[in-house]
Amino acid sequence: MSTEKEEGSAKKKEPTLPAFNLAELKKMLPFQWRVQQEFPDYGFIKYVAYIDARQVMELLDEVVGSENWQSKFQMLGTKLFCSLGIFIRNHDEEWGGGEWVWKEDVGTESQIEKDKGQASDALKRAAVHWGIGRFLYDLPNATINARIKEVKNKKGETIRRCIPTDDAGADIKDVGAHMKKKFPHLYK
């Protein structure tokens, strides 16, 4: 984008800097639920709400533009850190003026894909420093009743697993749909 400015008889184009509002990074995003911990001795499961790393990247693209953010990953010992930078333009300077501002955090391994999960977690945790996904901390941890089922693990050992059930004792097939019914105020 540019604006035209007249100087004598010649018109000169001056760039206008694209503006973005960092407060938009704090908006609520669609979220899902995952098991945080099973309590087979007590017959319930604790769930927490989460967003995925793709949602973080899409929100950054939408709010600041894909050219105005970047992520860097670094191993420190056994921990993977993500630095998430946003280019903050200085509107008092000419086009291109500004600086990269960085915020970082560490990720933890996931139970499914260790390395990918650790990178995704580090990105999401760094994004929280910019306000992305911070609303998740205001959501309740949800507990759902469970029936206990004995199953064999990979080592052939019998373990007790929790199967989520509704208040009537029927198995819950779709935890997300169940949560929408249980907490409708969270989905407005």
Side-chain angles (χ1 to χ4, degrees), residues 116-127:
K116 183 179 173 188
Q118 192 174 14
S120 174
D121 189 54
L123 175 70
K124 292 187 293 184
R125 286 173 180 259

Side-chain angles (χ1 to χ4, degrees), residues 1-185:
M1 293 191 309
S2 65
T3 57
E4 291 184 8
K5 183 177 180 183
E6 287 196 46
E7 289 183 3
S9 60
K11 290 184 179 179
K12 179 182 175 185
K13 289 193 174 194
E14 291 184 351
T16 56
L17 301 174
F20 50 80
N21 180 358
L22 291 176
E24 292 176 22
L25 294 175
K26 295 179 181 178
K27 76 179 184 177
M28 191 170 199
L29 298 170
F31 57 90
Q32 298 174 15
W33 296 89
R34 69 168 177 80
V35 173
Q36 183 177 42
Q37 189 172 1
E38 293 184 5
F39 296 89
D41 291 341
Y42 301 101
F44 70 91
I45 305 168
K46 185 176 179 181
Y47 287 85
V48 293
Y50 74 96
I51 58 174
D52 66 36
R54 249 182 225 98
Q55 289 174 279
V56 169
M57 293 181 262
E58 288 169 358
L59 183 61
L60 285 163
D61 287 348
E62 174 188 320
V63 174
V64 303
S66 60
E67 71 282 1
N68 293 316
W69 74 271
Q70 58 182 305
S71 58
K72 296 178 184 176
F73 294 87
Q74 179 181 8
M75 287 296 291
L76 295 174
T78 60
K79 303 290 184 187
L80 181 65
F81 283 80
C82 175
S83 298
L84 184 58
I86 295 179
F87 190 74
I88 307 296
R89 299 201 183 278
N90 183 340
H91 292 280
D92 295 332
E93 294 181 17
E94 298 216 10
W95 178 256
E99 65 181 316
W100 284 97
V101 177
W102 295 89
K103 300 188 181 198
E104 71 178 21
D105 211 325
V106 65
T108 58
E109 295 176 352
S110 72
Q111 295 176 3
I112 299 170
E113 293 181 75
K114 283 176 35 174
D115 294 337
K116 183 179 173 188
Q118 192 174 14
S120 174
D121 189 54
L123 175 70
K124 292 187 293 184
R125 286 173 180 259
V128 168
H129 293 275
W130 287 102
I132 301 171
R134 201 175 288 168
F135 71 92
L136 295 168
Y137 294 96
D138 296 330
L139 299 179
N141 289 333
T143 57
I144 294 181
N145 293 332
R147 69 178 174 82
I148 310 308
K149 180 177 181 179
E150 291 189 352
V151 297
K152 300 272 185 196
N153 65 14
K154 292 179 182 178
K155 296 178 183 177
E157 303 163 329
T158 300
I159 59 170
R160 298 170 71 211
R161 295 302 313 257
C162 293
I163 308 300
T165 60
D166 63 19
D167 292 336
D171 287 0
I172 296 172
K173 302 291 184 215
D174 183 346
V175 171
H178 178 77
M179 293 298 196
K180 284 183 181 180
K181 289 179 187 173
K182 187 173 180 172
F183 302 110
H185 63 284

